[in-house]
Amino acid sequence: MADRGGTGSGGGGGQGALETAKKSRKPKYSRFSQQELPACKPILTPGWVITTFISIGVVFIPIGLASLFASQRVTEIVYQYDSDCIPPEFSDDSVEFIKSDKTNKTCTRTITVPKQMKSPIYVYYQLNNFYQNHRRYVKSRDDKQLWSKEDETSSQECKPEDFTANGQPIVPCGLIAWSLFNDTYKFRVNDKVLEVNKKNIAWSSDRDHKFGSDVYPKNFQSGTLIGGGKLNSSIPLNQQEDLIVWMRPAALPTFRKLYGKIETDLEANDKIYIVIENNYNTYSFGGKKKLVLSTTSWMGGKNDFLGLAYLTVGGLCLFLAISFILVYVLKPRPLGDPSYLSWNRNAAGILN
């Protein structure tokens, strides 16, 4: 009986402890948990709304005008050459033309400078319908291999361009490097050759921190299926800036990449003779290739959208401000008493 009583006593103690634990789970009252902390809750009176819209308009419209004028000062020449550089006999089979080793892929074209272009003149190549942002394409590289000679065999993400048929590592490996753009351009004006400077066209952070000075191309484009351009095996990767520029994937299927810089001024109506080596295959997937010559301004290249966006937003804000002023003047209405707002009452419902 004593044992039974002891057990009952212990059970009662356990039940009491459980009830205490349940009570302790109840949250304590605090102004934070009940959302009673003081806060700034502005009341949008007509004066505040009109002032805000006018301020936005006054700030945005000058920015838009400055951006648009800067963009208009940029001279840009865009020439699409993928179809022009196909001989008539291959017009119905451009893929066969670009894949053949026996066809002459050199074409010469002439473009006219619309207005004066001050140096430096940036030379870009533009590709359309090329999805560099595809997940498997973006992952097909080995950053360790690009940076260190000791990791040239650690190409886990580079398949199928990781090793040669006899098991030798490919440096640089992966589909991004394998598909390196390999069209070339040469320029001449008035029997004078325009040199294209390819130094410092890549980001310095990429040259200094992503591509090693002791890593050299090895077994690159040595297979039966050639994807794009070849690399000089005697030059380290951190000096091969065409590759560095290409290895930074674009976010959109239409993109431009820097090819080089022309450090000579061009005058209006100058005739530029361009010799194009049309080597890169964009025909098999319906892609387009364009050559772009462009100057720059304080805000970069040609970009009318930014200025138009600022002007649109600024003009819309001014229009709304004027509309609100007319409504407020022609049809005024009394403001409500803010003391009746819920957050201006205390917990007992008595006005402050």
Side-chain angles (χ1 to χ4, degrees), residues 123-189:
V123 182
Y124 301 90
Y125 56 88
Q126 177 176 318
L127 298 182
N128 294 49
N129 200 34
F130 192 110
Y131 288 83
Q132 272 198 323
N133 59 352
H134 192 284
R135 181 179 62 86
R136 293 185 62 184
Y137 184 88
V138 172
K139 292 178 63 178
S140 186
R141 60 186 294 164
D142 192 331
D143 290 325
K144 291 183 178 180
Q145 183 199 68
L146 296 173
W147 175 247
S148 174
K149 183 179 180 180
E150 299 175 354
D151 295 320
E152 69 175 15
T153 59
S154 63
S155 50
Q156 301 176 359
E157 300 287 346
C158 291
K159 293 181 180 181
E161 293 297 320
D162 50 353
F163 294 96
T164 60
N166 56 3
Q168 296 296 317
I170 299 175
V171 182
C173 69
L175 293 177
I176 303 180
W178 175 79
S179 60
L180 174 65
F181 186 81
N182 62 340
D183 283 5
T184 61
Y185 314 108
K186 295 180 180 179
F187 304 92
R188 182 168 52 87
V189 174

Side-chain angles (χ1 to χ4, degrees), residues 167-313:
Q168 296 296 317
I170 299 175
V171 182
C173 69
L175 293 177
I176 303 180
W178 175 79
S179 60
L180 174 65
F181 186 81
N182 62 340
D183 283 5
T184 61
Y185 314 108
K186 295 180 180 179
F187 304 92
R188 182 168 52 87
V189 174
N190 300 327
D191 296 328
K192 178 183 178 182
V193 176
L194 298 178
E195 297 294 336
V196 180
N197 183 7
K198 291 197 171 191
K199 292 184 179 180
N200 299 322
I201 62 173
W203 291 17
S204 59
S205 58
D206 289 350
R207 291 196 309 265
D208 300 337
H209 303 292
K210 292 186 178 181
F211 293 82
S213 59
D214 61 342
V215 182
Y216 292 82
K218 185 177 181 181
N219 302 313
F220 186 69
Q221 303 286 23
S222 60
T224 56
L225 184 61
I226 305 300
K230 297 186 178 182
L231 298 174
N232 190 334
S233 59
S234 63
I235 300 177
L237 294 186
N238 70 332
Q239 297 181 20
Q240 308 222 25
E241 299 202 40
D242 283 332
L243 172 69
I244 299 174
V245 171
W246 179 258
M247 291 289 286
R248 177 171 284 275
L252 299 175
T254 297
F255 58 87
R256 294 178 180 179
K257 291 185 180 288
L258 186 59
Y259 180 82
K261 294 178 288 186
I262 297 175
E263 297 176 338
T264 303
D265 294 344
L266 297 177
E267 301 299 328
N269 300 320
D270 278 350
K271 301 290 184 180
I272 306 177
Y273 298 92
I274 310 172
V275 179
I276 303 173
E277 288 292 335
N278 184 27
N279 300 314
Y280 201 69
N281 182 12
T282 59
Y283 305 96
S284 58
F285 56 87
K288 304 296 182 183
K289 296 188 289 187
K290 297 179 182 179
L291 171 64
V292 181
L293 302 179
S294 177
T295 58
T296 58
S297 66
W298 59 267
M299 62 169 293
K302 193 173 187 64
N303 184 7
D304 291 343
F305 173 79
L306 186 62
L308 293 174
Y310 272 107
L311 287 176
T312 301
V313 175

Side-chain angles (χ1 to χ4, degrees), residues 24 40 47 73 88 101-102 116-117 133 155 158 160 169 196 209 219 229 291 312 326 328:
S24 65
C40 179
R73 286 197 296 268
D101 295 333
K102 299 179 180 179
Q116 186 183 46
M117 301 179 72
N133 59 352
S155 50
C158 291
V196 180
H209 303 292
N219 302 313
L291 171 64
T312 301
L326 294 177
Y328 186 65

